[in-house]
């Protein structure tokens, strides 16, 4: 019986962590069929089933889980050893895989990523958007960006982007002329409002705050969407009021397409954090990104 090669072992780890051939393929930049072939080859060589596959899920068998637990530190050590070569380059090379919320991908990460990639032409950055908290390591990512309440305590976290953000409320001039301007959050219940549905299926209540008083309401309206652009266009068209990240509405405010309302009740919160696992050896591309962030923040 021949032993599996390192590429097949790595394929197994990717699929077992992501619990999906398609998800692992997207992260690895290969086809799902290539990963499936590697798993079949590996299981044939070892003579034991490593993954249970159904149309909806992929889960390790007991043998697969034991193998995953033993392989993870070993392959991480090999990757770290190979990555030490990067320290001898003028600029490190490799791929960074980030998982970030939509708001970060839209407004916060682009200028940072552009500057970083210009400074490090040997590094490729892959960004996946996800508005729910995930185990970035298990999913095969190098790091994630989330807000403070979502980050596990055993992760290293550093600031990225603005330190304070706000949710802001707005309506079109035509809507406000026809329906009036609310002066208190409670009045939103008498207005048409445009709501956002997260990927988890949750339609979160609107939370407004002034002088320590927090009001949570779930107003009704003609549209619930999971696409920010559609929600903004609907508000501009006068279908209802909107309450979302300030960054998303700056253009509409500047053009006059939307008008701020309930300004005193806009809720502020801490900005996002880049988080990544604590390791004895940080991969050179990740170290380069962290160093770049720190330099930019010190300017």
């Amino acid at each position: 019986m021949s032993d599996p090669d390192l590429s097949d072992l790595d394929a197994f780890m990717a699929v077992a962590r992501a619990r999906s051939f398609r998800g692992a393929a997207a992260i690895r930049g290969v086809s799902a069929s290539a990963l499936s072939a590697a798993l079949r080859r590996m299981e044939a060589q070892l003579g034991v089933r490593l993954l249970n596959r159904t149309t909806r899920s992929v889960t390790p068998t007991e043998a697969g889980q034991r193998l995953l637990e033993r392989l993870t530190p070993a392959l991480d050590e090999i990757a770290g050893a190979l990555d030490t070569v990067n320290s001898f380059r003028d600029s490190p090379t490799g791929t960074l895989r980030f998982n970030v919320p939509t708001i970060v991908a839209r407004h916060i990460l682009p200028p940072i990523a552009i500057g970083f990639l210009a400074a490090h032409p040997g590094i490729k950055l892959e960004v996946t958007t996800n508005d729910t908290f995930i185990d970035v390591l298990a999913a095969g990512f190098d790091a994630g960006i989330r807000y403070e309440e979502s980050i596990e305590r055993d992760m290293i976290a550093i600031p990225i982007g603005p330190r304070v953000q706000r949710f802001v409320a707005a309506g079109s001039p035509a809507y406000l002329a026809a329906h009036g301007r609310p002066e208190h959050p409670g009045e939103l219940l008498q207005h048409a409002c445009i709501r956002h549905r997260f990927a988890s299926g949750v339609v979160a209540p609107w939370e407004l705050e002034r002088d320590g008083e927090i009001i949570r309401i779930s107003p009704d309206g003609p549209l619930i969407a999971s696409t920010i652009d559609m929600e903004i266009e609907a508000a501009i068209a006068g279908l209802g009021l909107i309450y979302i990240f300030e960054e998303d509405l700056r253009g509409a405010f500047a053009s006059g397409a939307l008008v701020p309302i309930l300004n005193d009740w806009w809720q502020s919160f801490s900005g996002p954090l880049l988080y990544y696992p604590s390791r004895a050896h940080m991969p050179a591309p990740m170290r380069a990104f962290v160093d770049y962030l720190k330099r930019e923040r010190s300017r």
Side-chain angles (χ1 to χ4, degrees), residues 2-3 6 9 54 100 102 114 116 121 131 144 182 191 205 209 216 254 258 262 287 292 299:
S2 59
D3 293 329
L6 283 176
L9 291 172
T54 71
V100 310
T102 302
I114 291 167
F116 171 73
D131 287 318
H191 284 267
E209 181 177 5
R216 296 181 182 87
L258 290 175
L262 297 170
R287 168 55 63 191
Y292 177 83
R299 290 181 179 179

Side-chain angles (χ1 to χ4, degrees), residues 13-281:
M13 280 186 59
V15 176
R17 283 174 163 177
R19 302 296 176 99
S20 163
F21 281 94
R22 184 175 298 177
I27 294 169
R28 286 291 188 270
V30 298
S31 67
S33 59
L35 291 177
S36 181
L39 263 295
R40 287 196 302 270
R41 184 167 55 244
M42 191 171 160
E43 288 176 331
Q45 289 170 328
L46 295 176
V48 63
R49 191 173 186 84
L50 299 173
L51 296 174
N52 291 316
R53 307 158 175 87
T54 71
T55 56
R56 294 188 176 183
S57 67
V58 176
T59 57
T61 63
E62 183 178 356
Q65 185 62 36
R66 294 282 184 88
L67 180 61
L68 180 64
E69 292 169 358
R70 296 292 297 273
L71 278 179
T72 298
L75 289 185
D76 284 349
E77 185 65 26
I78 291 172
L82 293 174
D83 191 63
T84 58
V85 175
N86 258 334
S87 63
F88 293 93
R89 300 178 186 273
D90 292 334
S91 179
T93 63
T95 299
L96 272 177
R97 298 178 177 89
F98 288 172
N99 187 287
V100 310
T102 302
I103 181 66
V104 171
R106 285 168 63 93
H107 299 290
I108 295 172
L109 189 57
I112 297 171
I114 291 167
F116 171 73
L117 293 173
H120 297 280
I123 294 177
K124 179 170 71 172
L125 180 62
E126 296 182 5
V127 179
T128 299
T129 58
N130 189 316
D131 287 318
T132 58
F133 182 77
I134 68 167
D135 185 334
V136 290
L137 269 187
F141 295 97
D142 297 294
I145 298 176
R146 288 295 185 277
Y147 291 85
E148 191 170 4
E149 66 275 9
S150 299
I151 297 176
E152 296 179 3
R153 293 182 179 179
D154 59 348
M155 292 285 179
I156 297 174
I158 61 173
I160 184 170
R163 297 322 316 130
V164 177
Q165 291 181 268
R166 294 189 296 183
F167 282 120
V168 301
S172 71
Y175 178 92
L176 296 176
H179 302 283
R181 177 190 294 266
E183 300 296 336
H184 185 275
E187 297 175 22
L188 292 172
L189 295 174
Q190 280 74 56
H191 284 267
C193 294
I194 296 163
R195 308 288 301 283
H196 180 78
R197 185 185 301 279
F198 291 93
S200 63
V202 172
V203 180
W206 288 5
E207 188 171 286
L208 298 98
E209 181 177 5
R210 185 177 69 181
D211 300 330
E213 179 186 3
I214 297 176
I215 296 178
R216 296 181 182 87
I217 59 171
S218 295
D220 198 8
L223 177 65
I224 297 175
S226 57
T227 305
I228 296 296
D229 290 336
M230 183 176 184
E231 294 161 34
I232 295 172
E233 288 301 317
I236 290 173
L239 288 183
L241 305 177
I242 193 169
Y243 186 58
I244 58 174
F245 283 96
E246 183 175 15
E247 289 85 352
D248 284 321
L249 296 189
R250 281 178 178 159
F253 283 163
S255 68
L258 290 175
V259 177
I261 60 171
L262 297 170
N263 305 51
D264 292 344
W265 289 90
W266 291 356
Q267 189 177 56
S268 298
F269 50 91
S270 298
L273 300 169
L274 175 79
Y275 70 101
Y276 52 94
S278 176
R279 290 173 173 168
H281 176 82

